[in-house]
Amino acid sequence: MPIYAYRCEDCGFTKDVLQKISDPQLTDCPSCGKSTFKKQLTAAGFQLKGTGWYVTDFRGGGNAPATGVSGGAKADAPAAAPAPAPAPSGSTD
């Protein structure tokens, strides 16, 4: 569910509200009671709920069960060793 920021244009009261997209917009200010409570344009905010992949699933040495949603290698897999540098081609015996 998205988190919307509201601000009263009359008294300046601000509040973040967790609402469904289908919920009607709030219009009455909880502070002053006037109908000047407007939704603000802000960065998107949301809460993840339920089962699924989260960044914390792979913390702690990979003991968490795989969810099959990550689609990639484990985060704690060792990195590949770099290739050895080529030997110089010119010889100065």
Side-chain angles (χ1 to χ4, degrees):
M1 278 201 294
I3 301 171
Y4 295 105
Y6 282 88
R7 183 177 184 276
C8 179
E9 294 178 344
D10 193 49
C11 69
F13 177 77
T14 59
K15 184 175 183 176
D16 292 338
V17 181
L18 181 68
Q19 287 183 300
K20 293 181 182 178
I21 294 173
S22 60
D23 286 347
Q25 289 188 17
L26 302 177
T27 56
D28 296 333
C29 176
S31 179
C32 68
K34 295 185 179 176
S35 297
T36 54
F37 208 45
K38 304 284 181 182
K39 189 186 296 186
Q40 295 181 300
L41 182 62
T42 60
F46 61 96
Q47 292 181 345
L48 298 174
K49 291 189 176 190
T51 60
W53 184 86
Y54 295 96
V55 71
T56 57
D57 285 348
F58 292 107
R59 291 188 183 167
N63 293 334
T67 60
V69 180
S70 64
K74 284 189 173 183
D76 58 349
S89 61
S91 169
T92 57
D93 292 316

